Amino acid sequence: MKRILLIAVLFIAATLSALGQTYTLCEKWVDCGNSGQLLDPYYSEGVTFKWNGNLKNGKADGFGIAVKYKNGEYESTYEGEYKNGIREGKGKFTHADGSVKTGTFVNGQLMGRGVAEYEDGHRYEGEFINYRMHGKGKIEYANGALFDGYLVSDEPYTGKFANYDGTIFFIQCGEVVDKITETKSNYSPKIGTRVREYFDEEWHRCDAKNASYYRLITYEAPHKPTGKAKDYYISGELQGEETFVYVDYDDEGKNFQEGEVVWYYKNGQKSKEGYIFNNKPNGPYTEYYENGAVYSEYFYDMGVLDGAYISYYKSGEPERIARYDGGALKNNKYLLFSEDGDCCFVYNENFRKNSDSWEYAGANGSLRINNDNTISLEVTPNRTVSGGIYTDFAPDGNNVIEISTRQRKNDKNVAIGILVGFKDWDNYCGFYISGKQYAFQQVKNGKTVTSTGWEYSEAIEPNVNTLRVINADNRTVLNINGEDVADMRRIRYDGGFCVLSVINNGYDMAYVDAAELNLYEFVKDESAIREYIPSRRGGSNDWVGSGSGFFIDERGYIATNYHVIDGATTIEVAFIRNGEAEKYPASVVLSDKQNDLSIIKIENPDFRPMPAIPYNFTTNIKDTGSEVFTLGYPIADVMGEEVKFTDGKISSKTGIQGDVTVYQISVPIQPGNSGGPLFDIRGNLVGITSSGLNRDYFKSENVNYAIKSSYLQSLIDAMPQNVTLQTQSDIAALPLTEMIKRFQPYMVYIKIK
């Protein structure tokens, strides 16, 4: 498991997002035909307009029709008033999805009262801010339901729902309540003057003596601030900076934000920063520890998580890596690193999202999903209620399956079971508790092939219990509330479903709740984590990883680490020859995954063979204490695409736990050094830099590793092409500086996507 940690330390070199992109509202004057222009307050690259109306001083003016296209595709039609090129007055917007919004436009934005109608039959009439349904209004749903209240960013926030079946319920601040208890403060700030506003710990308005925070803000009109608002801890330290389009005097949740936002700890360090587009998070967000180290990085696309999410331990090593697509967790699981180097995928069941797989109502009872993502089962006497989900885990892998249960009334006639490896009711494994007893059985082709019988355990609590099935190597372990209660030969599963089952053998209804169905699947092969490693966001031209390499043959054959090019669909190599940069595509010739080595070759007819390689290849084992150095491209996106030199010594002839394939070296290496050459002081190639020890976890300095050149020799010997390594070069007498100059043209910067 340590090797995965080592690879990850060097491999996670890319960051989330380039902050130079626009993640907030961007307005721009756009040509609209006939040498005219109009202002698009939602401009993005590729936008064009066609204007059918009058022009005044080269700007759209008066009533007309503006049709908007994005990269040639139809996006929307605006029919209404323009003034000096800006939407101003009554207008109607029709979008490609069939939705229509009608209302009054102010400075290009739909503001105030308006109507929105949708293809599915929904209709909204009420207040808008910057084109969003925000404020008091009513939604008439196509099925006859009605919401009457306050909306925030197009979503019901506080108000009354009249359902299509006649039922009525209320929500306040997005949560279901028995009744709405909003209060009004009658606050009325001075206009045009900076004012100080006080808030308690929960950000409710209060007087100064009960305040935890205060805000400095200037209003140009009621509820409409101008410039940045600044929030402070009551002790005077800056707490946050943001820009508001609208401020509600009684509920911070009703505010409308736009632009960059930054929050701070009391010590002045940033706690979080990001961007808001029309009151929804949009773009990169970063959270920090109080010491300034990054805690997490993630990306929003109009309010939903998209792309990579990564959190870190304070040491800077990765803790959790997940990937999101339109708010959905990729493969329903994320990657979790422990501080001791173990790595696993975690599947955390979302009962609400997968309600169709769980909910049941019938003669046996019911299974329903609660708002807090828990499930509740009601089971009729002498009946069974079950629900499950396909968890897509490797049946023979190392994993832990767990679920927490709560029995509302302790009844020894009720059995609660977690069924794992479930294929059907003739093929499954069941782990049950009832009263103070537990049991395990494996059913195969309808017959019980393994059974513990009912066993007593003090680990079982009267009401709340966490059941775990641990599959590790050759053993299966049953665990209750953290205590192992049974250990048996490894169970081989037939299916991939995980099922919660409640059996009621009593005379009364049984009531059981459950939460936190998790599956931890331990990773042995680092290639399994590649798709979870964050890369730069952007278009198809963005590179997602990089490393180093070096020529082994003048015809364009290059050696590097396997993990540098693993999973690449495109490889580009770059080097400097005669002071000029040369870049070529390359392809993989042969790899040795076990020893983390690959040979790639330049594939381009314009490539001219290199002069004779100046360094010698040797497979002689170097002694401990030998002086060595490396050349490579560490953190090239930050440090630049110029070859970097670092030197040190052979610290040991073996690696972790006596690994004879590598040297331990004191040469400093960074992400991007992977695949670079390790030379001795006479200019002989003796190894390939590959990984580094987790400095913070192991409390180490400059403990790094290089694969011995003999393993590269073996890989070259296995190539279908004949490659003869240089062994006759006479460079040993040169000064080190001259030696490096000779070597530099043969050092290769490798990029992949």
Side-chain angles (χ1 to χ4, degrees):
M1 211 60 70
K2 299 299 183 203
R3 185 153 181 87
I4 291 179
L5 179 61
L6 298 176
I7 295 298
V9 168
L10 290 184
F11 192 67
I12 302 177
T15 56
L16 278 175
S17 305
L19 297 182
Q21 299 186 35
T22 299
Y23 300 115
T24 60
L25 280 181
C26 176
E27 62 180 32
K28 186 174 180 179
W29 289 98
V30 183
D31 292 337
C32 59
N34 298 322
S35 300
Q37 289 187 320
L38 54 77
L39 185 72
D40 182 12
Y42 294 92
Y43 178 80
S44 60
E45 290 296 327
V47 163
T48 57
F49 278 91
K50 186 178 292 185
W51 166 247
N52 183 8
N54 294 327
L55 296 173
K56 183 177 180 180
N57 299 323
K59 303 290 176 63
D61 197 80
F63 182 86
I65 299 174
V67 183
K68 184 176 182 179
Y69 301 88
K70 177 69 178 292
N71 296 322
E73 296 289 329
Y74 171 73
E75 189 169 281
S76 63
T77 298
Y78 171 77
E79 185 175 358
E81 296 289 337
Y82 272 87
K83 186 175 182 180
N84 295 326
I86 302 173
R87 290 193 293 264
E88 198 78 35
K90 298 291 184 181
K92 173 183 175 182
F93 244 118
T94 303
H95 295 269
D97 63 6
S99 62
V100 179
K101 293 181 180 179
T102 307
T104 301
F105 289 80
V106 178
N107 197 30
Q109 297 279 11
L110 179 57
M111 302 285 284
R113 300 291 299 181
V115 175
E117 297 173 294
Y118 297 89
E119 278 270 290
D120 59 7
H122 295 350
R123 185 180 188 275
Y124 168 79
E125 184 171 355
E127 296 176 344
F128 287 83
I129 295 179
N130 280 18
Y131 213 72
R132 290 204 183 282
M133 298 182 291
H134 193 108
K136 293 180 180 179
K138 294 180 180 181
I139 301 177
E140 298 175 5
Y141 296 95
N143 63 1
L146 177 70
F147 172 78
D148 186 356
Y150 198 101
L151 288 87
V152 170
S153 297
D154 302 330
E155 300 294 335
Y157 181 75
T158 294
K160 173 185 175 182
F161 274 100
N163 215 344
Y164 65 90
D165 61 3
T167 58
I168 293 175
F169 65 95
F170 302 90
I171 64 169
Q172 184 169 332
C173 302
E175 299 292 333
V176 177
V177 294
D178 293 330
K179 63 178 181 178
I180 297 173
T181 58
E182 285 188 312
T183 58
K184 298 293 183 181
S185 65
N186 296 318
Y187 175 65
S188 180
K190 291 182 179 179
I191 304 301
T193 302
R194 190 172 72 166
V195 295
R196 181 179 304 209
E197 302 173 340
Y198 294 97
F199 300 86
D200 64 17
E201 188 66 32
E202 301 298 323
W203 282 95
H204 299 136
R205 287 186 186 272
C206 65
D207 54 26
K209 68 178 182 179
N210 294 311
S212 297
Y213 307 98
Y214 66 88
R215 172 179 294 157
L216 297 180
I217 188 169
T218 302
Y219 293 92
E220 62 180 10
H223 301 284
K224 185 175 175 58
T226 181
K228 275 188 177 291
K230 292 192 174 185
D231 296 331
Y232 295 84
Y233 295 96
I234 198 64
S235 49
E237 299 87 359
L238 184 63
Q239 190 270 341
E241 299 175 276
E242 60 260 299
T243 302
F244 294 105
V245 176
Y246 170 89
V247 169
D248 189 271
Y249 298 149
D250 302 307
D251 186 347
E252 287 286 287
K254 294 179 179 178
N255 293 348
F256 195 105
Q257 291 181 283
E258 181 67 58
E260 187 175 9
V261 289
V262 186
W263 294 267
Y264 300 90
Y265 291 108
K266 277 192 172 185
N267 64 5
Q269 293 282 3
K270 290 181 182 178
S271 63
K272 184 178 177 180
E273 60 182 337
Y275 299 87
I276 303 292
F277 185 104
N278 263 11
N279 211 41
K280 287 185 181 288
N282 188 59
Y285 268 67
T286 306
E287 296 179 276
Y288 301 90
Y289 289 104
E290 286 193 65
N291 64 0
V294 174
Y295 167 68
S296 66
E297 298 175 290
Y298 44 97
F299 193 96
Y300 281 107
D301 183 4
M302 294 309 296
V304 297
L305 285 170
D306 192 63
Y309 171 97
I310 180 168
S311 63
Y312 304 88
Y313 292 104
K314 286 186 176 180
S315 63
E317 303 305 331
E319 175 193 33
R320 173 182 169 183
I321 300 175
R323 300 199 73 87
Y324 290 87
D325 183 7
L329 183 64
K330 182 180 179 67
N331 298 327
N332 288 324
K333 58 187 179 182
Y334 59 88
L335 191 63
L336 183 68
F337 291 87
S338 68
E339 290 194 274
D340 63 4
D342 286 334
C343 176
C344 67
F345 284 112
V346 180
Y347 177 100
N348 179 243
E349 171 61 4
N350 188 327
F351 297 112
R352 297 187 68 183
K353 178 182 176 183
N354 302 318
S355 59
D356 289 346
S357 297
W358 289 95
E359 289 185 328
Y360 165 80
N364 288 13
S366 66
L367 188 159
R368 70 174 188 274
I369 311 299
N370 303 314
N371 289 333
D372 59 356
N373 199 42
T374 61
I375 59 178
S376 295
L377 298 91
E378 298 182 1
V379 187
T380 304
N382 296 305
R383 297 293 181 94
T384 299
V385 172
S386 302
I389 192 75
Y390 185 67
T391 51
D392 190 28
F393 72 96
D396 296 328
N398 288 352
N399 50 63
V400 177
I401 305 133
E402 70 175 15
I403 192 168
S404 296
T405 66
R406 179 173 74 96
Q407 190 173 355
R408 296 185 217 171
K409 178 183 177 183
N410 189 19
D411 187 344
K412 64 181 181 181
N413 293 314
V414 175
I416 303 170
I418 176 174
L419 313 184
V420 298
F422 185 97
K423 180 181 178 182
D424 51 41
W425 286 106
D426 288 330
N427 298 274
Y428 67 90
C429 294
F431 178 25
Y432 300 90
I433 58 172
S434 179
K436 295 289 286 186
Q437 293 183 309
Y438 72 88
F440 179 86
Q441 67 172 353
Q442 182 181 16
V443 177
K444 199 171 184 66
N445 297 323
K447 296 181 180 180
T448 300
V449 296
T450 303
S451 177
T452 63
W454 286 100
E455 299 285 344
Y456 179 85
S457 175
E458 279 291 340
I460 303 173
E461 297 293 339
N463 299 109
V464 178
N465 292 278
T466 298
L467 308 181
R468 295 185 181 91
V469 179
I470 303 168
N471 301 296
D473 298 326
N474 297 318
R475 310 301 296 173
T476 292
V477 178
L478 308 180
N479 181 286
I480 301 173
N481 298 326
E483 182 177 322
D484 294 344
V485 296
D487 187 333
M488 65 192 76
R489 181 181 296 177
R490 175 63 185 268
I491 300 295
R492 303 299 172 185
Y493 302 114
D494 295 312
F497 282 84
C498 185
V499 175
L500 176 67
S501 184
V502 176
I503 304 171
N504 184 4
N505 292 319
Y507 299 100
D508 299 318
M509 290 289 291
Y511 301 94
V512 175
D513 302 317
E516 294 298 321
L517 172 58
N518 298 313
L519 185 145
Y520 303 84
E521 187 174 358
F522 291 91
V523 179
K524 288 185 176 180
D525 182 359
E526 62 265 19
S527 65
I529 73 173
R530 173 173 286 277
E531 64 175 324
Y532 283 81
I533 302 301
S535 59
R536 291 190 182 281
R537 296 184 59 88
S540 59
N541 293 325
D542 287 346
W543 300 97
V544 301
S546 66
S548 301
F550 56 95
F551 280 93
I552 58 172
D553 185 278
E554 296 87 348
R555 295 170 294 174
Y557 291 96
I558 296 164
T560 187
N561 283 142
Y562 171 78
H563 78 259
V564 170
I565 54 84
D566 178 28
T569 57
T570 302
I571 302 174
E572 182 182 271
V573 299
F575 54 92
I576 304 296
R577 175 161 38 181
N578 299 324
E580 297 291 331
E582 296 187 23
K583 297 180 180 180
Y584 301 102
S587 61
V588 178
V589 176
L590 191 65
S591 293
D592 178 358
K593 182 177 179 180
Q594 182 66 32
N595 290 309
D596 196 23
L597 292 170
S598 285
I599 306 296
I600 61 177
K601 184 179 185 295
I602 292 174
E603 299 289 354
N604 193 295
D606 295 332
F607 170 71
R608 293 176 292 108
M610 302 291 289
I613 290 177
Y615 36 85
N616 285 325
F617 292 75
T618 179
T619 57
N620 295 331
I621 301 298
K622 302 299 294 183
D623 290 330
T624 300
S626 298
E627 294 183 53
V628 287
F629 66 91
T630 188
L631 299 169
Y633 297 87
I635 322 179
D637 56 343
V638 176
M639 300 175 67
E641 297 180 13
E642 180 183 347
V643 175
K644 304 298 189 300
F645 162 88
T646 53
D647 62 349
K649 294 184 178 181
I650 300 285
S651 303
S652 172
K653 296 180 182 180
T654 60
I656 291 178
Q657 297 178 346
D659 184 357
V660 298
T661 66
V662 299
Y663 293 114
Q664 180 184 321
I665 58 176
S666 64
V667 179
I669 60 176
Q670 306 293 335
N673 273 122
S674 295
L678 185 72
F679 297 107
D680 67 14
I681 203 66
R682 297 177 63 83
N684 297 308
L685 181 96
V686 298
I688 302 92
T689 58
S690 61
S691 56
L693 199 63
N694 184 323
R695 295 179 177 89
D696 293 289
Y697 177 75
F698 292 103
K699 308 303 180 185
S700 58
E701 289 293 335
N702 280 343
V703 180
N704 302 310
Y705 298 94
I707 302 161
K708 293 174 181 175
S709 56
S710 58
Y711 294 90
L712 176 60
Q713 173 77 69
S714 298
L715 182 61
I716 293 171
D717 291 344
M719 290 172 58
Q721 301 84 358
N722 181 34
V723 172
T724 302
L725 300 178
Q726 173 67 270
T727 59
Q728 303 298 320
S729 176
D730 184 16
I731 202 169
L734 292 177
L736 179 60
T737 53
E738 185 62 30
M739 193 182 294
I740 292 171
K741 287 180 183 178
R742 299 277 187 94
F743 289 179
Q744 279 181 333
Y746 300 85
M747 303 298 107
V748 179
Y749 178 40
I750 301 172
K751 296 189 290 185
I752 71 162
K753 60 182 175 183

